[in-house]
PDB file of all heavy atoms in Angstrom:
ATOM      1  N   SER A  22      -6.709  -9.317   6.154  1.00 96.00           N
ATOM      2  CA  SER A  22      -5.736  -8.874   5.100  1.00 96.00           C
ATOM      3  C   SER A  22      -4.647  -7.960   5.726  1.00 96.00           C
ATOM      4  O   SER A  22      -4.850  -7.402   6.841  1.00 96.00           O
ATOM      5  CB  SER A  22      -6.577  -8.160   4.055  1.00 96.00           C
ATOM      6  OG  SER A  22      -5.774  -7.787   2.940  1.00 96.00           O
ATOM      7  N   ASN A  23      -3.562  -7.890   4.984  1.00 94.00           N
ATOM      8  CA  ASN A  23      -2.453  -6.839   5.293  1.00 94.00           C
ATOM      9  C   ASN A  23      -2.279  -6.227   3.967  1.00 94.00           C
ATOM     10  O   ASN A  23      -1.300  -6.463   3.232  1.00 94.00           O
ATOM     11  CB  ASN A  23      -1.348  -7.541   5.896  1.00 94.00           C
ATOM     12  CG  ASN A  23      -0.118  -6.695   6.087  1.00 94.00           C
ATOM     13  OD1 ASN A  23      -0.420  -5.424   6.202  1.00 94.00           O
ATOM     14  ND2 ASN A  23       1.076  -7.138   6.041  1.00 94.00           N
ATOM     15  N   PRO A  24      -3.039  -5.278   3.534  1.00 93.00           N
ATOM     16  CA  PRO A  24      -2.944  -4.569   2.293  1.00 93.00           C
ATOM     17  C   PRO A  24      -1.772  -3.658   2.155  1.00 93.00           C
ATOM     18  O   PRO A  24      -1.181  -3.355   3.211  1.00 93.00           O
ATOM     19  CB  PRO A  24      -4.207  -3.690   2.191  1.00 93.00           C
ATOM     20  CG  PRO A  24      -4.666  -3.419   3.500  1.00 93.00           C
ATOM     21  CD  PRO A  24      -4.267  -4.590   4.347  1.00 93.00           C
ATOM     22  N   PRO A  25      -1.252  -3.285   0.983  1.00 89.00           N
ATOM     23  CA  PRO A  25      -0.125  -2.398   0.862  1.00 89.00           C
ATOM     24  C   PRO A  25      -0.280  -1.017   1.623  1.00 89.00           C
ATOM     25  O   PRO A  25      -1.478  -0.487   1.657  1.00 89.00           O
ATOM     26  CB  PRO A  25       0.015  -2.155  -0.601  1.00 89.00           C
ATOM     27  CG  PRO A  25      -0.784  -3.215  -1.250  1.00 89.00           C
ATOM     28  CD  PRO A  25      -1.878  -3.494  -0.245  1.00 89.00           C
ATOM     29  N   TYR A  26       0.763  -0.576   2.298  1.00 86.00           N
ATOM     30  CA  TYR A  26       0.712   0.666   3.003  1.00 86.00           C
ATOM     31  C   TYR A  26       1.070   1.787   2.140  1.00 86.00           C
ATOM     32  O   TYR A  26       2.096   1.709   1.444  1.00 86.00           O
ATOM     33  CB  TYR A  26       1.531   0.709   4.171  1.00 86.00           C
ATOM     34  CG  TYR A  26       1.426  -0.379   5.201  1.00 86.00           C
ATOM     35  CD1 TYR A  26       2.512  -0.906   5.874  1.00 86.00           C
ATOM     36  CD2 TYR A  26       0.197  -1.058   5.350  1.00 86.00           C
ATOM     37  CE1 TYR A  26       2.399  -1.975   6.728  1.00 86.00           C
ATOM     38  CE2 TYR A  26       0.013  -2.103   6.239  1.00 86.00           C
ATOM     39  CZ  TYR A  26       1.124  -2.609   6.925  1.00 86.00           C
ATOM     40  OH  TYR A  26       1.016  -3.560   7.851  1.00 86.00           O
ATOM     41  N   GLY A  27       0.373   2.944   2.140  1.00 81.00           N
ATOM     42  CA  GLY A  27       0.872   4.090   1.433  1.00 81.00           C
ATOM     43  C   GLY A  27       1.083   4.047  -0.043  1.00 81.00           C
ATOM     44  O   GLY A  27       1.887   4.723  -0.643  1.00 81.00           O
ATOM     45  N   VAL A  28       0.431   3.054  -0.731  1.00 82.00           N
ATOM     46  CA  VAL A  28       0.547   2.869  -2.070  1.00 82.00           C
ATOM     47  C   VAL A  28      -0.571   3.677  -2.804  1.00 82.00           C
ATOM     48  O   VAL A  28      -1.750   3.423  -2.563  1.00 82.00           O
ATOM     49  CB  VAL A  28       0.474   1.408  -2.521  1.00 82.00           C
ATOM     50  CG1 VAL A  28       0.582   1.263  -4.065  1.00 82.00           C
ATOM     51  CG2 VAL A  28       1.622   0.612  -1.896  1.00 82.00           C
ATOM     52  N   ASP A  29      -0.204   4.546  -3.786  1.00 88.00           N
ATOM     53  CA  ASP A  29      -1.267   5.330  -4.388  1.00 88.00           C
ATOM     54  C   ASP A  29      -2.176   4.528  -5.378  1.00 88.00           C
ATOM     55  O   ASP A  29      -1.578   3.479  -5.840  1.00 88.00           O
ATOM     56  CB  ASP A  29      -0.616   6.629  -5.023  1.00 88.00           C
ATOM     57  CG  ASP A  29       0.128   6.342  -6.299  1.00 88.00           C
ATOM     58  OD1 ASP A  29      -0.480   5.817  -7.224  1.00 88.00           O
ATOM     59  OD2 ASP A  29       1.346   6.744  -6.359  1.00 88.00           O
ATOM     60  N   TRP A  30      -3.347   4.964  -5.733  1.00 93.00           N
ATOM     61  CA  TRP A  30      -4.166   4.293  -6.654  1.00 93.00           C
ATOM     62  C   TRP A  30      -4.449   5.258  -7.838  1.00 93.00           C
ATOM     63  O   TRP A  30      -5.503   5.247  -8.502  1.00 93.00           O
ATOM     64  CB  TRP A  30      -5.401   3.842  -6.034  1.00 93.00           C
ATOM     65  CG  TRP A  30      -6.115   4.954  -5.062  1.00 93.00           C
ATOM     66  CD1 TRP A  30      -5.765   5.265  -3.847  1.00 93.00           C
ATOM     67  CD2 TRP A  30      -7.217   5.742  -5.403  1.00 93.00           C
ATOM     68  NE1 TRP A  30      -6.511   6.227  -3.274  1.00 93.00           N
ATOM     69  CE2 TRP A  30      -7.433   6.492  -4.214  1.00 93.00           C
ATOM     70  CE3 TRP A  30      -8.088   5.912  -6.373  1.00 93.00           C
ATOM     71  CZ2 TRP A  30      -8.552   7.378  -4.082  1.00 93.00           C
ATOM     72  CZ3 TRP A  30      -9.065   6.731  -6.423  1.00 93.00           C
ATOM     73  CH2 TRP A  30      -9.369   7.549  -5.219  1.00 93.00           C
ATOM     74  N   LYS A  31      -3.377   6.058  -8.176  1.00 92.00           N
ATOM     75  CA  LYS A  31      -3.542   7.029  -9.212  1.00 92.00           C
ATOM     76  C   LYS A  31      -3.813   6.449 -10.493  1.00 92.00           C
ATOM     77  O   LYS A  31      -4.517   6.896 -11.430  1.00 92.00           O
ATOM     78  CB  LYS A  31      -2.339   8.034  -9.319  1.00 92.00           C
ATOM     79  CG  LYS A  31      -2.378   9.124 -10.379  1.00 92.00           C
ATOM     80  CD  LYS A  31      -1.081   9.913 -10.287  1.00 92.00           C
ATOM     81  CE  LYS A  31      -1.126  11.142 -11.200  1.00 92.00           C
ATOM     82  NZ  LYS A  31       0.014  11.976 -11.107  1.00 92.00           N
ATOM     83  N   LYS A  32      -3.060   5.281 -10.881  1.00 91.00           N
ATOM     84  CA  LYS A  32      -3.194   4.633 -12.118  1.00 91.00           C
ATOM     85  C   LYS A  32      -4.614   4.095 -12.480  1.00 91.00           C
ATOM     86  O   LYS A  32      -5.065   4.151 -13.683  1.00 91.00           O
ATOM     87  CB  LYS A  32      -2.225   3.407 -12.099  1.00 91.00           C
ATOM     88  CG  LYS A  32      -0.787   3.796 -12.274  1.00 91.00           C
ATOM     89  CD  LYS A  32       0.043   2.513 -12.452  1.00 91.00           C
ATOM     90  CE  LYS A  32      -0.003   1.556 -11.195  1.00 91.00           C
ATOM     91  NZ  LYS A  32       0.941   0.432 -11.411  1.00 91.00           N
ATOM     92  N   TYR A  33      -5.397   3.828 -11.479  1.00 91.00           N
ATOM     93  CA  TYR A  33      -6.833   3.375 -11.756  1.00 91.00           C
ATOM     94  C   TYR A  33      -7.721   4.229 -11.018  1.00 91.00           C
ATOM     95  O   TYR A  33      -8.873   3.766 -10.710  1.00 91.00           O
ATOM     96  CB  TYR A  33      -6.922   1.872 -11.506  1.00 91.00           C
ATOM     97  CG  TYR A  33      -6.125   1.441 -10.192  1.00 91.00           C
ATOM     98  CD1 TYR A  33      -6.588   1.477  -8.891  1.00 91.00           C
ATOM     99  CD2 TYR A  33      -4.819   0.860 -10.455  1.00 91.00           C
ATOM    100  CE1 TYR A  33      -5.869   1.053  -7.843  1.00 91.00           C
ATOM    101  CE2 TYR A  33      -4.020   0.539  -9.315  1.00 91.00           C
ATOM    102  CZ  TYR A  33      -4.568   0.633  -8.060  1.00 91.00           C
ATOM    103  OH  TYR A  33      -3.721   0.164  -6.987  1.00 91.00           O
ATOM    104  N   ALA A  34      -7.492   5.533 -10.741  1.00 94.00           N
ATOM    105  CA  ALA A  34      -8.415   6.391 -10.111  1.00 94.00           C
ATOM    106  C   ALA A  34      -9.609   6.651 -10.807  1.00 94.00           C
ATOM    107  O   ALA A  34     -10.742   6.709 -10.278  1.00 94.00           O
ATOM    108  CB  ALA A  34      -7.708   7.702  -9.808  1.00 94.00           C
ATOM    109  N   ASP A  35      -9.575   6.799 -12.213  1.00 94.00           N
ATOM    110  CA  ASP A  35     -10.749   7.012 -12.969  1.00 94.00           C
ATOM    111  C   ASP A  35     -11.746   5.929 -12.826  1.00 94.00           C
ATOM    112  O   ASP A  35     -13.001   6.102 -12.723  1.00 94.00           O
ATOM    113  CB  ASP A  35     -10.448   7.164 -14.368  1.00 94.00           C
ATOM    114  CG  ASP A  35      -9.619   8.584 -14.671  1.00 94.00           C
ATOM    115  OD1 ASP A  35      -9.672   9.467 -13.763  1.00 94.00           O
ATOM    116  OD2 ASP A  35      -8.984   8.629 -15.734  1.00 94.00           O
ATOM    117  N   MET A  36     -11.339   4.667 -12.841  1.00 95.00           N
ATOM    118  CA  MET A  36     -12.189   3.492 -12.767  1.00 95.00           C
ATOM    119  C   MET A  36     -12.944   3.535 -11.343  1.00 95.00           C
ATOM    120  O   MET A  36     -14.101   3.156 -11.180  1.00 95.00           O
ATOM    121  CB  MET A  36     -11.463   2.194 -12.913  1.00 95.00           C
ATOM    122  CG  MET A  36     -10.877   2.000 -14.274  1.00 95.00           C
ATOM    123  SD  MET A  36      -9.895   0.557 -14.425  1.00 95.00           S
ATOM    124  CE  MET A  36     -11.246  -0.686 -14.195  1.00 95.00           C
ATOM    125  N   ILE A  37     -12.120   3.762 -10.267  1.00 95.00           N
ATOM    126  CA  ILE A  37     -12.679   3.740  -8.846  1.00 95.00           C
ATOM    127  C   ILE A  37     -13.670   4.928  -8.666  1.00 95.00           C
ATOM    128  O   ILE A  37     -14.698   4.645  -8.110  1.00 95.00           O
ATOM    129  CB  ILE A  37     -11.541   3.749  -7.924  1.00 95.00           C
ATOM    130  CG1 ILE A  37     -10.774   2.390  -7.999  1.00 95.00           C
ATOM    131  CG2 ILE A  37     -12.022   3.995  -6.486  1.00 95.00           C
ATOM    132  CD1 ILE A  37      -9.530   2.429  -7.040  1.00 95.00           C
ATOM    133  N   ARG A  38     -13.317   6.096  -9.176  1.00 95.00           N
ATOM    134  CA  ARG A  38     -14.190   7.184  -9.104  1.00 95.00           C
ATOM    135  C   ARG A  38     -15.461   6.922  -9.813  1.00 95.00           C
ATOM    136  O   ARG A  38     -16.644   7.352  -9.391  1.00 95.00           O
ATOM    137  CB  ARG A  38     -13.474   8.402  -9.534  1.00 95.00           C
ATOM    138  CG  ARG A  38     -12.490   9.007  -8.566  1.00 95.00           C
ATOM    139  CD  ARG A  38     -11.766  10.079  -9.060  1.00 95.00           C
ATOM    140  NE  ARG A  38     -10.815  10.774  -8.194  1.00 95.00           N
ATOM    141  CZ  ARG A  38      -9.680  11.296  -8.427  1.00 95.00           C
ATOM    142  NH1 ARG A  38      -9.249  11.355  -9.775  1.00 95.00           N
ATOM    143  NH2 ARG A  38      -8.764  11.654  -7.564  1.00 95.00           N
ATOM    144  N   GLU A  39     -15.335   6.365 -10.984  1.00 94.00           N
ATOM    145  CA  GLU A  39     -16.562   6.113 -11.745  1.00 94.00           C
ATOM    146  C   GLU A  39     -17.511   5.056 -11.143  1.00 94.00           C
ATOM    147  O   GLU A  39     -18.752   5.199 -11.024  1.00 94.00           O
ATOM    148  CB  GLU A  39     -16.236   5.580 -13.146  1.00 94.00           C
ATOM    149  CG  GLU A  39     -17.327   5.303 -14.103  1.00 94.00           C
ATOM    150  CD  GLU A  39     -16.897   4.765 -15.514  1.00 94.00           C
ATOM    151  OE1 GLU A  39     -15.676   4.871 -15.764  1.00 94.00           O
ATOM    152  OE2 GLU A  39     -17.685   4.360 -16.221  1.00 94.00           O
ATOM    153  N   GLU A  40     -16.825   4.050 -10.453  1.00 94.00           N
ATOM    154  CA  GLU A  40     -17.675   3.050  -9.755  1.00 94.00           C
ATOM    155  C   GLU A  40     -18.347   3.644  -8.591  1.00 94.00           C
ATOM    156  O   GLU A  40     -19.506   3.395  -8.240  1.00 94.00           O
ATOM    157  CB  GLU A  40     -16.720   1.929  -9.320  1.00 94.00           C
ATOM    158  CG  GLU A  40     -17.463   0.828  -8.429  1.00 94.00           C
ATOM    159  CD  GLU A  40     -16.528  -0.295  -7.977  1.00 94.00           C
ATOM    160  OE1 GLU A  40     -15.450  -0.408  -8.448  1.00 94.00           O
ATOM    161  OE2 GLU A  40     -16.980  -1.011  -7.026  1.00 94.00           O
ATOM    162  N   ARG A  41     -17.678   4.522  -7.845  1.00 94.00           N
ATOM    163  CA  ARG A  41     -18.210   5.231  -6.732  1.00 94.00           C
ATOM    164  C   ARG A  41     -19.427   6.145  -7.181  1.00 94.00           C
ATOM    165  O   ARG A  41     -20.448   6.107  -6.589  1.00 94.00           O
ATOM    166  CB  ARG A  41     -17.213   6.141  -5.959  1.00 94.00           C
ATOM    167  CG  ARG A  41     -17.686   7.128  -4.971  1.00 94.00           C
ATOM    168  CD  ARG A  41     -18.476   6.510  -3.809  1.00 94.00           C
ATOM    169  NE  ARG A  41     -18.956   7.561  -3.030  1.00 94.00           N
ATOM    170  CZ  ARG A  41     -19.952   7.308  -2.148  1.00 94.00           C
ATOM    171  NH1 ARG A  41     -20.504   6.180  -1.957  1.00 94.00           N
ATOM    172  NH2 ARG A  41     -20.363   8.411  -1.393  1.00 94.00           N
ATOM    173  N   GLU A  42     -19.234   6.825  -8.350  1.00 93.00           N
ATOM    174  CA  GLU A  42     -20.372   7.636  -8.701  1.00 93.00           C
ATOM    175  C   GLU A  42     -21.519   6.799  -9.244  1.00 93.00           C
ATOM    176  O   GLU A  42     -22.720   7.241  -8.951  1.00 93.00           O
ATOM    177  CB  GLU A  42     -19.886   8.558  -9.981  1.00 93.00           C
ATOM    178  CG  GLU A  42     -18.871   9.618  -9.419  1.00 93.00           C
ATOM    179  CD  GLU A  42     -18.197  10.405 -10.546  1.00 93.00           C
ATOM    180  OE1 GLU A  42     -18.626  10.174 -11.728  1.00 93.00           O
ATOM    181  OE2 GLU A  42     -17.357  11.171 -10.335  1.00 93.00           O
ATOM    182  N   ASP A  43     -21.172   5.741  -9.962  1.00 93.00           N
ATOM    183  CA  ASP A  43     -22.380   4.930 -10.536  1.00 93.00           C
ATOM    184  C   ASP A  43     -23.111   4.149  -9.397  1.00 93.00           C
ATOM    185  O   ASP A  43     -24.296   4.033  -9.472  1.00 93.00           O
ATOM    186  CB  ASP A  43     -21.765   4.013 -11.546  1.00 93.00           C
ATOM    187  CG  ASP A  43     -21.311   4.668 -12.790  1.00 93.00           C
ATOM    188  OD1 ASP A  43     -21.607   5.966 -12.969  1.00 93.00           O
ATOM    189  OD2 ASP A  43     -20.520   4.108 -13.543  1.00 93.00           O
ATOM    190  N   ASP A  44     -22.285   3.526  -8.489  1.00 93.00           N
ATOM    191  CA  ASP A  44     -22.899   2.628  -7.543  1.00 93.00           C
ATOM    192  C   ASP A  44     -23.398   3.347  -6.200  1.00 93.00           C
ATOM    193  O   ASP A  44     -24.313   2.772  -5.575  1.00 93.00           O
ATOM    194  CB  ASP A  44     -22.014   1.427  -7.146  1.00 93.00           C
ATOM    195  CG  ASP A  44     -21.661   0.589  -8.362  1.00 93.00           C
ATOM    196  OD1 ASP A  44     -22.345   0.722  -9.419  1.00 93.00           O
ATOM    197  OD2 ASP A  44     -20.640  -0.153  -8.408  1.00 93.00           O
ATOM    198  N   GLY A  45     -22.671   4.457  -5.928  1.00 90.00           N
ATOM    199  CA  GLY A  45     -23.093   5.165  -4.722  1.00 90.00           C
ATOM    200  C   GLY A  45     -23.148   4.310  -3.435  1.00 90.00           C
ATOM    201  O   GLY A  45     -22.146   3.503  -3.252  1.00 90.00           O
ATOM    202  N   ASP A  46     -24.217   4.436  -2.638  1.00 88.00           N
ATOM    203  CA  ASP A  46     -24.339   3.732  -1.388  1.00 88.00           C
ATOM    204  C   ASP A  46     -24.586   2.249  -1.555  1.00 88.00           C
ATOM    205  O   ASP A  46     -24.610   1.431  -0.582  1.00 88.00           O
ATOM    206  CB  ASP A  46     -25.374   4.356  -0.545  1.00 88.00           C
ATOM    207  CG  ASP A  46     -24.973   5.705   0.004  1.00 88.00           C
ATOM    208  OD1 ASP A  46     -23.793   6.105  -0.119  1.00 88.00           O
ATOM    209  OD2 ASP A  46     -25.793   6.437   0.315  1.00 88.00           O
TER     210      ASP A  46
END
């Protein structure tokens, strides 16, 4: 892959943080 450089994820930060907290390792 060549993902976007320096693009923020503020718009969907809540979803990603929630996934990290719920799924953990």
